[in-house]
Amino acid sequence: MNHIIFYFPQDEKLAKKIAKKLNLDLADAIFRRFPDEETYVQINTNVENKNVILICSLKHPDMKLLPIIFFAETVRALGAKSIGLVAPYLAYLRQDTQFKPGEAVNSKIFGTLLSRYIDWLITIDSHLHRHASLSEVYSIPAYNLHTANLIATWIEGNVDQPVLIGPDEESKQWVTGVAKHANIPYILLQKIRHGDREVEISVPQVAKYKKCTPVLVDDIISTARTMIETVRHLNNSGMRPTICIGVHAIFVNSSYQDLLKENIEQVVTCNTIQHPTNKIDVSELLAEQIMKI
Ligand code: R5P
């Protein structure tokens, strides 16, 4: 392979796993901030005629966008053959329409901007809701991989009598995907979002699943309010403690600690964003897709 892998500091652990699977050495770059918070990027590995890959999960996207652009422009100037971004978590897909007059449609603006600087993109379980595919917002080849079978395998190996719970309409694609792989029953709830941190979840009808272990599945855990409100309903319905599974562990501020205060058995996430709850490894999934490019 004529590929070379760079990584953002927060993604070192995942980058090492991917590089090992691809039998590649990791390349060296410095990403840091000047005291005034401007960005500094330095490429320390020869990239001439190489297919350059940058692994950078997009939690805190605003802090990473400029470093990615500076990186891409610099490696291109140094003779890179192509530049691909592996963003296991891809940000700016939830604001995918104008909900109120005058709002920016972030998904399109962000996708258009990134597409100018990179040649391809790989991500995992991107939040596609009103957009049918990434090609509606990215003009470059953009591959959206899925963790449904990895999550299903984890549940099969770790949970006694599971029933999947999807907290809202948007979680349907993840819940039904996992349910199909592992042949597990599921319940989908309704969510009304009143604000960034205020959500209302419908009361689940769980009478026939009383002996099951509720496994809450969602793509993103951010403020964790969606999980917390759902866990409270399940608890009030007399269910066993809940297992909370999220693909992307964003966990803003104290949200992880807040979730741990609820009646839950455990929190499980994929390592698309590094977090103590990472139990499902996506490195093989990513390495396989990189090999096809
Ligand atoms: C949105 O519909 C997503 O699928 C998640 O449900 C949402 O992002 C979770 O956000 P939070 O953790 O802030 O409730």
Side-chain angles (χ1 to χ4, degrees):
M1 282 176 99
N2 194 25
H3 291 48
I4 183 167
I5 298 187
F6 291 86
Y7 59 92
F8 226 68
Q10 293 90 332
D11 299 297
E12 183 174 3
K13 224 169 151 181
L14 181 64
K16 279 184 175 161
K17 286 187 173 183
I18 295 171
K20 196 170 170 200
K21 288 182 198 300
L22 294 171
N23 207 14
L24 291 172
D25 289 329
L26 285 172
D28 181 34
I30 295 172
F31 293 93
R32 71 169 182 89
R33 294 203 162 238
F34 287 109
D36 62 0
E37 297 198 1
E38 288 189 1
T39 292
Y40 175 90
V41 176
Q42 183 185 20
I43 313 298
N44 292 323
T45 304
N46 183 10
V47 293
E48 214 174 331
N49 285 321
K50 297 275 185 190
N51 296 311
V52 169
I53 297 166
L54 175 63
I55 298 179
C56 180
S57 204
L58 290 176
K59 179 183 175 180
H60 299 138
D62 295 8
M63 289 172 65
K64 292 178 182 167
L65 183 61
L66 271 182
I68 290 171
I69 292 174
F70 292 165
F71 172 88
E73 288 291 272
T74 308
V75 292
R76 215 180 280 287
L78 290 169
K81 201 164 152 194
S82 69
I83 304 160
L85 176 66
V86 175
Y89 168 64
L90 183 59
Y92 280 125
L93 278 165
R94 282 173 290 176
Q95 183 76 22
D96 56 1
T97 190
Q98 212 173 47
F99 298 97
K100 294 182 198 151
E103 282 182 347
V105 182
N106 296 343
S107 57
K108 291 219 172 191
I109 301 168
F110 191 74
T112 306
L113 187 60
L114 261 188
S115 300
R116 279 190 205 143
Y117 296 96
I118 54 174
D119 300 312
W120 54 260
L121 167 75
I122 297 177
T123 187
I124 292 184
D125 285 326
S126 57
H127 190 86
L128 291 172
H129 184 48
R130 274 158 282 260
H131 297 307
S133 76
L134 287 176
S135 61
E136 287 183 20
V137 277
Y138 286 83
S139 57
I140 50 172
Y143 308 92
N144 184 32
L145 313 179
H146 300 285
T147 56
N149 60 342
L150 298 176
I151 294 176
T153 305
W154 186 88
I155 293 173
E156 283 175 318
N158 293 280
V159 187
D160 174 41
Q161 278 190 275
V163 56
L164 302 179
I165 314 285
D168 54 21
E169 179 58 26
E170 287 157 84
S171 67
K172 188 175 175 185
Q173 53 183 303
W174 291 281
V175 171
T176 53
V178 175
K180 199 170 137 206
H181 278 283
N183 197 18
I184 306 172
Y186 66 89
I187 301 170
L188 282 176
L189 306 177
Q190 304 290 323
K191 177 168 83 183
I192 302 170
R193 187 172 277 287
H194 296 293
D196 290 348
R197 291 163 200 274
E198 293 92 34
V199 295
E200 192 182 326
I201 309 279
S202 62
V203 178
Q205 301 304 312
V206 290
K208 64 177 181 179
Y209 298 113
K210 277 279 163 63
K211 289 196 179 133
C212 294
T213 306
V215 181
L216 184 45
V217 177
D218 206 355
D219 59 337
I220 296 168
I221 314 178
S222 178
T223 65
R225 293 317 308 181
T226 301
M227 292 256 165
I228 289 171
E229 295 305 319
T230 312
V231 166
R232 286 181 181 169
H233 280 323
L234 294 166
N235 205 19
N236 291 339
S237 312
M239 297 285 285
R240 293 181 188 175
T242 307
I243 296 179
C244 297
I245 303 186
V247 179
H248 307 295
I250 295 185
F251 285 117
V252 298
N253 306 325
S254 65
S255 56
Y256 178 46
Q257 285 70 28
D258 296 343
L259 181 56
L260 290 180
K261 285 180 200 148
E262 301 297 321
N263 185 24
I264 54 167
E265 191 181 309
Q266 61 174 318
V267 184
V268 173
T269 60
C270 300
N271 57 348
T272 57
I273 297 170
Q274 209 180 307
H275 193 264
T277 55
N278 291 164
K279 293 196 177 85
I280 300 172
D281 182 22
V282 296
S283 60
E284 182 76 37
L285 190 66
L286 292 167
E288 277 172 8
Q289 183 61 44
I290 292 171
M291 257 189 292
K292 291 181 197 161
I293 292 173

